[in-house]
Each structure stands twice: as structure tokens, then as C-alpha cells.
Amino acid sequence: MRTTEHRHSKLRNSPIFRVFRYLRFYPKEIGLNIVFNLLSVLFNLFSFVLIVPVIELFFGLSEPPAIEPDFAFNQSAMTEWATYHLYLFRSNAGFWPSLLTFAGAYLFCVLLYDLTRYLGLYFLSPIRNDVLQRLRNDIYHKITILPISFFAGRRKGDLISRMSADLADIEWSIVSTLQALVKDPINVLLFAATLVFISPRLFLLFLVILPPAVFLIGKIGKSLKSNSVKGQQKMGEMMSAYKETLDNLEVVKAYGRENHRQKVFERVNADYSRRMMRVARRREAGSPLSEVLGTLGLGFILVLGGNAVLGGDLQPSVFILFVIIFARLIPPVQAIVKAYSSLQKGSASAARIFEILDADERIIEKPDAVTMTDINETIEFRNVSFAYDGDGGKPVYVLDKVNLTIAKGLKIAIVGPSGAGKTTLVDLLPRFYDPTEGEIVIDGIPIKEMNINSLRSNIGVVSQNCILFNDTIANNITFGLEGIPSERIREAARIANANKFIEQLPQGYDTPVGDHGSALSGGQRQRISIARAILRNPPILILDEATSALDAESQQAVQTALDSLMQGRTSIVIAHRLSTIENADLIVVMQQGKIVETGTHSELLQRGGTYKTLVEMQNFSKK
């Protein structure tokens, strides 16, 4: 019992089954598809059943019963009953009228078969696109809510590959097999039931060749799935090579590494091609294998059935009908084999998709989360530690028991050498990560108990790596906000010292900024980012080395904008250039994940500690 439950649980959680769960949104379409597929199989079967007795009767291959036989649900009685009434109809109507009538009936069955087959496909076609649409939406939503730590050790090219190549593979390998998974099993079951009804003894031969066929096809499917997993991984590596080259094209050209990058890509591309060649060969092996086994079974049936006809144990017409229907049974069996192979290949892609969908969100919002509207008193870091898993699972601490209180409206500067934990500390405030130990509290309420969207809406972030989207300047300034009047956009740009250069552009605020803001200079991008923060009007502001990558002229313009932005706000500034934070209300000095000094600029210089050393090093480097 436990083994059975384990198998059922494993099946329910398999990637293929989970993709098929999306079909629950389309009960009407699936129901109609099944109905019309069933009708198409019945009309197809009836058209074949109709041929043999008509040919026998019209061309004198058999004699009808002398008296009307009783109808009974078995092959012999039904054949005699049908033959008697067909002969009676022919005698009353005449040869040609009756022949044309039967020809018309056959043609009508074929037309009904084609019509119902089309209707089955008609109701299935919207499911295919909708399932993929829902999967894409779910993946994109998951990516937006996963913590930043999830992406830290992953290649973005591989994630892009999962949303493109893997989803395309699911479309063609899984969703496109729905027709085969619905219609062809119905075909096989009804055709097999008809064969059993016609001659149970001959049908047993088909069952003899079935187990080895299932075994061989299963082996091929297992190998196909294994190679598909490796193939999709290689596709991820290839997409990563693409993205790395595109993102760093200037560096590649500046250092003359075009040939090196070309060789890297060609190697990954060759590995992917070899792997997918194995997948294609194994996938295509299933259909010929099923055809060979089916033809082998048909050969045995011809030998044994022919012997039964010669011995008088089987009517020739019944044997012909059996052979015709058995031959028609082979294509749907082949289709099921091909569908099984496609499912195994698609299962590898589905597993990669659900690896993202099943990823631990970690940043969890409580059901009864408190809505934050403003900061009234303080932000407190209470014994906050943060660590990530190192080699062997041993935690590596980036922050170690940090305690810090920030009063409302103060400007706090955080300084220290690279790797001191400055950015990690401020990233904990909007819950990009959660502390490993300790807690962060705003006005006495832990931020873990706050609604995440309300928390982040009260925090503005301007970082060194200015993020702009491939959209207009106006839409980048209003990012996250809707229905903002143009006057407010222009006012935010004016405060950010960006209004002048924007109005000099050909399309003004409607000018596209290009990919990552490539159409603008570094200082211009930064001022657009500041205007965005000004328009958002957050009570808490985080500036992460916002001017460190700028030249002197751009820095002065951006610093003026930042000074305007920080007016009346609780500001946390990570500073690389210490001269920009001399007027800070409190300077926090960090080293190796700990706070080693706090005080004003003059107080820290008088103490002669780490801060004074950092100031002297910067002053020396300027000389």
C-alpha cells in the first residue's frame, strides 16, 4: 500500500503531470475534444466495418442465410444478421441503387470522421497557447518575488533560456502531444476491442508482442530524458555566453578577445549540438521500432489467420476485416510511442521550469502584515547578522551582530573598506534579504511584520549602478507610479538638476533612453534615477555610492541633486568619496561586518581611528 501511494505521489509531482494540471482551467474545451475524438474514432471504425460485408454481398463472395437470423451480440450472429438485411435491401432496391446507397453511406461516414476530427482539434488549439501563456506569467511573477540572493549564484543567460528555449520545448514536446494523448488511446482501445470481438484468438498474438515493445520504448524514453536534461543545460550555457558577450562587448573589443569569446561560444554550441543530436536519434528510434513490431505482429496474423481460413475455422471476410483494422491500429500506437518520447524530452524542460517555480521565496509576508505609512521615530538594527553558505555548507558571515539606531530626519553615512558589509546592511532594510540573526525595527515594529510593498514604497534607493529601462525618460521617472501629471515629472527633474539636459533632447521627456539607458551619459542616467526617487517622495532614502563612478563635473551636478533629495528625509548614505559626507549627522565606520566607530566627521578625526586612516589615504591619493 505504501509503495502504491509513493508511486502515485511521485506521479502527481512529476514535471509532466504538473504541466497537465494547467488543463484544469479548460474543462469545457477538453470535454468537447474528448467527445469529438470519440465520435471520429467511431465513424472511422464504422466505415471499415461497413466495407467487408458490402463487398462480400455485392460480388457474391458469400450466400445470405435462408431465413432471418436472431440478433445476438457476438461476431457470428451479427455478421449473419447484417448479411441477411443487406441482401434483402439489395433485392428490393436493385444492384446499382443499393450499391450507390452504400457508397454514399461510406462517404458520409468518412465526412463525419473528418468533421469530428477537425472539431476535436478546434477545441484543443486554444489550450496549447493558453497553457504556455499561464506558465510564462507564473515564471515571470516568481522571478519578480524571489529574493535577490536566489540570482546571486546563477547565470542570467540560463534563466533566460528557461523562459525561452525550455518553454518552447514544453510547447512542442508536451502541449502539442495532447491530441495524441486523447485521441490515439481512444483509437487503440476501440480498435483493440473490435479485434477482440472479431477474433479473440488472433488478438492474443498482438498481446504477445506488446511487453517487449513497451520495455524497449521505456528504455529509449529513459535515455531520451537524461540526454534532454543535459541538452537544456548546454542551452543555458550557450545563452549565458551570448549575454556575457553582449553585456561586455566594449571590453571584449578593447582587449582583442573576439577570437577567444568565439572559441568559447563554439565549444558550448558544439556540446549542445552533439547532445541534441543524441536526443533526436533516440526520439526518432521509437516510431520505427513500433512499426517493425507492429508489422511483425501483422505477419504472424496473416500466417495463422490464413491457416484458420483454409481450415474452415474463420470466414475470409472476417479475416480480411481483422487484418484491415489491425493495420489501422498500428498508426495510433506509433503516435502514442512518439508522444511518449516527446513527453520524456519535455519532462527535462519542465523540471527546469519548476525548479524556478518551486524555489523558496524566503522573503515571506505575514498574512496579517502591518501597512507602513511613514517613519515617526527611529530605525533600529538589533543584533543583526547575515551569512551565506560557504564551502561545505559552513556559514560565511558578512554582518556580525550589528546594532545601530537611526533617528528620523537624520543623515547617516556608512563608510569602510570594500567587503565591510555596507551594501548588505542597507539591502536588509527594504528586505532584499532577511537577516540570518537579529531583527530590524521601524517605530518599534519589526519589518518582517510589515506589508512588503508598503515598506518598500516608503524607501527610495539610488545606487551606483543606475537602472533605467528601455523606455522614455518620462516613463523611467514615473516608474512604479501611474497617472502622474507632466508638471510633477518636470518638477522632479528640476530638483534632480536634470530638467535642462532633458529639454535639449530631440523629443524631450519622450526621448527613449535605450537599453540600460545607453543613450544617456552616466551623470544623466544618475540624475534620472534621482528624479525617480524625488517623485516617489519616500520618507527613507538609501544612497549607495551614487556619485562614485562619475567625473568631477557630473559629480557636482548629481551631488547638488542629492542634497535637494535628502532635505527632510531619513537618509542612509554609503560613501566612497568621504568628502561628500563631512556634514553627515552621524558617520558609521564598518570593518569586516562590524561597526568599529561612530560619530561626526570632526569627532572621528580627533579619535585617530579607522576613519582618520581612510581620510588620510584618500587625501594622499589625490596628491
Side-chain angles (χ1 to χ4, degrees), residues 347-406:
S347 179
S349 296
R352 282 166 50 84
I353 292 296
F354 286 110
E355 183 182 340
I356 295 177
L357 293 177
D358 293 339
D360 186 6
E361 294 179 20
R362 298 184 188 178
I363 310 298
I364 304 298
E365 181 179 280
K366 290 188 174 182
D368 55 347
V370 178
T371 299
M372 178 183 174
T373 56
D374 199 351
I375 173 175
N376 298 313
E377 296 178 6
T378 59
I379 301 170
E380 297 179 67
F381 291 78
R382 298 176 178 175
N383 291 317
V384 170
S385 297
F386 181 81
Y388 63 88
D389 293 334
D391 295 336
K394 185 178 179 180
V396 177
Y397 279 88
V398 181
L399 298 174
D400 187 13
K401 299 188 183 309
V402 172
N403 288 279
L404 178 64
T405 300
I406 303 171

Side-chain angles (χ1 to χ4, degrees), residues 53 56 74-84 315 317-318:
E56 273 199 339
N74 61 72
Q75 179 265 321
S76 178
M78 288 182 67
T79 302
E80 290 186 355
W81 185 88
T83 302
Y84 177 83
Q315 290 178 275
S317 60
V318 173

Side-chain angles (χ1 to χ4, degrees), residues 383-501:
N383 291 317
V384 170
S385 297
F386 181 81
Y388 63 88
D389 293 334
D391 295 336
K394 185 178 179 180
V396 177
Y397 279 88
V398 181
L399 298 174
D400 187 13
K401 299 188 183 309
V402 172
N403 288 279
L404 178 64
T405 300
I406 303 171
K408 177 183 178 179
L410 295 186
K411 177 183 175 181
I412 306 298
I414 302 177
V415 301
S418 297
K422 304 184 295 295
T423 300
T424 302
L425 182 67
V426 297
D427 281 348
L428 294 176
L429 185 56
R431 292 194 72 188
F432 294 155
Y433 311 92
D434 273 340
T436 307
E437 300 170 17
E439 63 179 359
I440 302 172
V441 175
I442 298 178
D443 294 338
I445 303 174
I447 62 172
K448 284 188 177 182
E449 297 182 5
M450 294 180 177
N451 175 274
I452 294 176
N453 288 335
S454 71
L455 170 67
R456 292 174 180 171
S457 68
N458 281 276
I459 301 173
V461 179
V462 180
S463 64
Q464 175 184 355
N465 299 319
C466 178
I467 306 299
L468 296 183
F469 295 88
N470 195 352
D471 205 337
T472 65
I473 289 177
N475 287 339
N476 270 284
I477 294 176
T478 61
F479 185 74
L481 302 172
E482 295 181 0
I484 304 299
S486 59
E487 293 78 13
R488 285 188 58 192
I489 298 174
R490 293 176 185 276
E491 179 63 16
R494 187 191 63 77
I495 297 172
N497 201 14
N499 191 45
K500 289 183 180 180
F501 86 79

Side-chain angles (χ1 to χ4, degrees), residues 202 205-206 209 291-304 322 326 330:
L202 288 179
L205 186 62
F206 172 72
I209 64 171
E291 186 170 353
V292 167
L293 292 171
T295 305
L296 184 64
L298 183 60
F300 280 122
I301 287 173
L302 288 172
V303 172
L304 297 180
F322 189 95
F326 185 86
I330 295 176

Side-chain angles (χ1 to χ4, degrees), residues 19-20 22 34 52 66 77 129 149 176 217 271 278 283 301 315 331 357 364 368 372 387 390 417 425 508 532 578 591:
V19 172
F20 287 152
Y22 284 83
I34 293 173
V52 174
N129 291 322
S149 58
S176 62
I217 291 167
D271 289 344
R278 295 179 189 174
R283 181 177 57 197
I301 287 173
Q315 290 178 275
L357 293 177
I364 304 298
D368 55 347
M372 178 183 174
L425 182 67
R532 177 196 297 162
L578 302 182
Q591 198 166 23

